[in-house]
């Protein structure tokens, strides 16, 4: 049964990835490699990091608690869900107000003067900070009830909405069609998820201190991991107009290994690991980890090799058109081999981190990711003056590649100790 669901989930993610690729092709034809696209990419960095962080961390933190509650009493689960909803809504509302009121300050801190050009884009996308948090919880509730196909399907719908906005309004709205499409993507997902909201909002907040004590290290870990997006943009600022765009196209191509292959594995693996952990079934837990990681390594490596083999004809056939020139295509292709370590890291990291997160060992993930982040930032400052645009894929490769290797090694060296219950 689960193999069939894994197939359908992977297929849905594959279709979503194809839609995202088509969207990128349309963006390339409309905006090419340009300063206006650079401005949007810098502005969308923080919302992108926030969305991926919240979707992952809310799921990883809330899902084990909610799954355990469902197994005992539905009313208890509804109380926990209601408490989380109120806290997430407050956090999302505060962030939305900040992004509407002072987006230029945020962008200045992230990217310096180059980032301020994206002020209006960030203001448009501000509501996604609230929507993203609520969507993350609602999708996690769907996973807990084994509705594994629902979240990927909604992400597919959202990607289609985003693509439609770019196609039909790219000419009339210009570059702002991208920020509007980003917002509508999450808005549509929220509307479609509302029927599945089962909260007891009258219940008082529960386990607030314990929640933040456990969740904040996890958020920190995921923010650091998703900082690959920030590293890509930061490493390519100050290198002339279009540098940010060029790096983004290269990263999009090489990250397909994660989108096509391993996303489906992670979506199915984590809920099953959480369930095995809740039942203290260590034999099943170990078996799931081994199967998931082997599948991710094999399929991820095959995907990366395939992408490298077909990249040139694909870029020359589909990407080079309109505002995207042959020279732009050559610049992107020259970057791809440098993205191989990053591509493997993107494909494997979430599967490598899954057993730690399912066991509530968030601090290990946070610590390893923090050290990797420091190393990647230092490498950016050292390599950027000498290597220019190549420092971007190198820094990201250090972040996600080293992260994956270290977490995998820790698990296989210390898995017996990690499987023991934590001391209270």
């Amino acid at each position: 049964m689960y193999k069939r669901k894994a197939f359908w989930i992977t297929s849905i993610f594959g279709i979503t990835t194809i839609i995202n690729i088509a969207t990128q092709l349309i963006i390339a034809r409309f905006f090419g490699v340009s300063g206006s696209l650079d401005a949007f990419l810098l502005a969308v960095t923080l919302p992108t990091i926030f969305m991926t962080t919240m979707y992952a961390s809310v799921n990883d933190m809330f899902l084990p608690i909610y799954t355990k509650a469902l197994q005992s009493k539905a009313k208890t689960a509804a109380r926990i869900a209601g408490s989380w909803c109120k806290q997430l809504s407050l956090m999302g509302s505060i962030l939305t107000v900040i992004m509407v009121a002072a987006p230029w300050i945020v962008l200045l801190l992230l990217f310096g003067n180059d980032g301020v050009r994206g002020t209006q884009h960030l203001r448009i996308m501000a509501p996604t900070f609230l929507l993203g948090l609520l969507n993350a919880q609602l999708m996690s509730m769907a996973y807990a009830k084994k509705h594994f196909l629902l979240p990927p399907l909604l992400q597919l719908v959202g990607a289609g909405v985003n693509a439609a906005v770019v196609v039909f309004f790219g000419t009339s709205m210009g570059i702002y069609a991208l920020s509007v499409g980003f917002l509508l993507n999450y808005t549509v997902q929220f509307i479609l998820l509302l029927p599945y909201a089962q909260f007891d909002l009258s219940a008082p907040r529960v386990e607030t201190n314990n929640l933040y004590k456990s969740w904040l290290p996890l958020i920190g870990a995921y923010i650091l991991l998703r900082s690959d997006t920030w590293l890509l943009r930061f490493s390519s600022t100050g290198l002339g107009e279009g540098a940010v765009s060029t790096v983004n196209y290269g990263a999009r191509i090489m990250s397909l290994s994660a989108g096509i292959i391993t996303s489906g594995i992670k979506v199915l693996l984590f809920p099953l690991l959480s369930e095995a952990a809740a039942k203290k079934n260590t034999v099943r837990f170990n078996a799931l980890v081994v199967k998931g990681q082997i599948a991710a390594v094999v399929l991820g490596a095959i995907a990366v090799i395939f992408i490298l083999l077909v990249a040139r004809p694909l870029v020359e056939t589909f990407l080079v058109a309109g505002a995207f020139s042959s020279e732009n295509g050559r610049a992107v292709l020259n970057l791809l081999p440098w993205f191989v370590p990053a591509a493997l890291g993107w494909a494997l990291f979430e599967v490598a981190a899954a057993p730690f997160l399912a066991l509530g060992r968030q601090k290990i993930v946070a610590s390893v990711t923090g050290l990797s982040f420091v190393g990647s930032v230092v490498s950016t400052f050292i390599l950027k003056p000498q290597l220019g645009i190549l420092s971007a894929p190198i820094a990201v490769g250090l972040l996600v590649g080293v992260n994956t290797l270290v977490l995998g090694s820790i698990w296989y060296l210390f898995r017996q100790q990690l499987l023991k219950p934590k001391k209270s």
Side-chain angles (χ1 to χ4, degrees):
M1 179 178 69
Y2 288 123
K3 289 182 179 179
R4 188 181 303 116
K5 287 183 178 179
F7 168 78
W8 284 112
I9 290 169
T10 302
S11 299
I12 293 169
F13 274 119
I15 298 171
T16 303
T17 301
I18 291 171
I19 292 176
N20 288 331
I21 293 171
T23 305
Q24 290 302 309
L25 296 178
I26 296 165
I27 291 172
R29 296 191 180 206
F30 280 164
F31 309 110
V33 172
S34 61
S36 61
L37 182 56
D38 286 355
F40 167 75
L41 292 172
L42 295 177
V44 80
T45 301
L46 185 58
T48 299
I49 292 174
F50 182 82
M51 293 306 123
T52 53
T53 296
M54 290 303 112
Y55 272 54
S57 67
V58 169
N59 185 65
D60 292 348
M61 188 65 199
F62 174 74
L63 181 62
I65 300 171
Y66 188 69
T67 300
K68 186 177 180 179
L70 277 177
Q71 292 174 354
S72 59
K73 196 172 183 180
K75 288 185 178 180
T76 301
R79 285 170 60 86
I80 292 173
S83 174
W84 270 72
C85 180
K86 288 188 286 189
Q87 293 173 82
L88 294 178
S89 297
L90 176 61
M91 184 187 303
S93 298
I94 292 172
L95 290 172
T96 297
V97 170
I98 292 173
M99 297 306 161
V100 170
W104 62 89
I105 297 177
V106 176
L107 291 169
L108 185 66
L109 291 172
L110 288 174
F111 301 109
N113 291 328
D114 284 356
V116 178
R117 294 182 296 168
T119 293
Q120 190 58 35
H121 287 292
L122 186 52
R123 184 174 281 120
I124 292 171
M125 294 182 285
T128 58
F129 288 87
L130 173 59
L131 294 170
L133 282 167
L134 297 177
N135 288 353
Q137 185 186 0
L138 290 169
M139 287 187 178
S140 188
M141 292 172 70
Y143 287 137
K145 296 175 181 178
K146 293 186 171 55
H147 298 314
F148 295 121
L149 292 178
L150 178 64
L153 279 171
L154 292 179
Q155 291 179 33
L156 173 61
V157 172
V161 170
N162 190 15
V165 171
V166 177
V167 170
F168 293 109
F169 300 100
T171 301
S172 59
M173 297 178 64
I175 195 69
Y176 291 104
L178 302 184
S179 47
V180 172
F182 187 91
L183 172 60
L184 290 179
N185 179 344
Y186 290 96
T187 302
V188 169
Q189 289 185 45
F190 176 71
I191 293 171
L192 295 177
L193 280 166
L194 278 177
Y196 298 90
Q198 296 175 349
F199 304 125
D200 181 0
L201 295 175
S202 64
R205 290 187 301 174
V206 294
E207 299 181 346
T208 303
N209 293 333
N210 290 335
L211 164 63
Y212 289 117
K213 181 180 178 181
S214 302
W215 189 30
L216 288 178
L218 182 59
I219 291 176
Y222 271 111
I223 287 176
L224 289 171
L225 173 68
R226 305 305 174 182
S227 63
D228 57 352
T229 305
W230 175 80
L231 280 171
L232 287 171
R233 309 282 159 79
F234 177 74
S235 300
S236 49
T237 53
L239 299 175
E241 284 203 359
V244 176
S245 308
T246 301
V247 169
N248 181 68
Y249 287 121
R252 286 281 188 171
I253 292 170
M254 292 305 294
S255 64
L256 292 176
S257 57
I260 294 175
I261 300 298
T262 57
S263 292
I265 297 174
K266 168 59 166 53
V267 165
L268 191 62
L269 178 64
F270 186 76
L272 296 178
L273 287 176
S274 298
E275 184 178 49
K279 295 180 178 179
K280 298 180 181 179
N281 189 339
T282 57
V283 174
R284 176 167 171 74
F285 193 96
N286 272 317
L288 287 168
V289 171
V290 172
K291 289 180 181 179
Q293 292 186 352
I294 290 175
V297 169
V298 173
L299 296 176
I302 291 173
V304 170
I305 294 170
F306 177 76
I307 290 167
L308 287 174
L309 291 175
V310 303
R312 183 171 296 278
L314 287 178
V315 167
E316 293 176 349
T317 303
F318 297 105
L319 199 58
V320 177
F324 195 93
S325 67
S326 297
E327 183 180 351
N328 299 148
R330 286 191 294 272
V332 171
L333 288 169
N334 289 337
L335 281 178
L336 298 189
W338 296 90
F339 270 111
V340 169
L344 291 171
W346 284 324
L348 305 177
F349 172 80
E350 291 190 347
V351 176
F356 297 95
L357 301 176
L359 293 170
R361 307 284 184 170
Q362 294 91 349
K363 291 182 181 179
I364 295 176
V365 179
S367 299
V368 172
T369 306
L371 291 174
S372 300
F373 176 75
V374 171
S376 62
V377 172
V378 171
S379 73
T380 298
F381 283 105
I382 295 173
L383 297 176
K384 188 174 179 179
Q386 284 75 35
L387 299 180
I389 201 170
L390 295 180
S391 64
I394 292 173
V396 175
L398 287 173
L399 175 64
V400 293
V402 171
N403 228 347
T404 301
L405 288 174
V406 173
L407 285 175
S409 300
I410 291 174
W411 174 254
Y412 282 102
L413 288 172
F414 303 104
R415 61 185 180 275
Q416 296 304 325
Q417 295 94 311
L418 293 168
L419 284 167
K420 294 178 181 178
K422 292 190 295 182
K423 294 180 180 179
S424 56

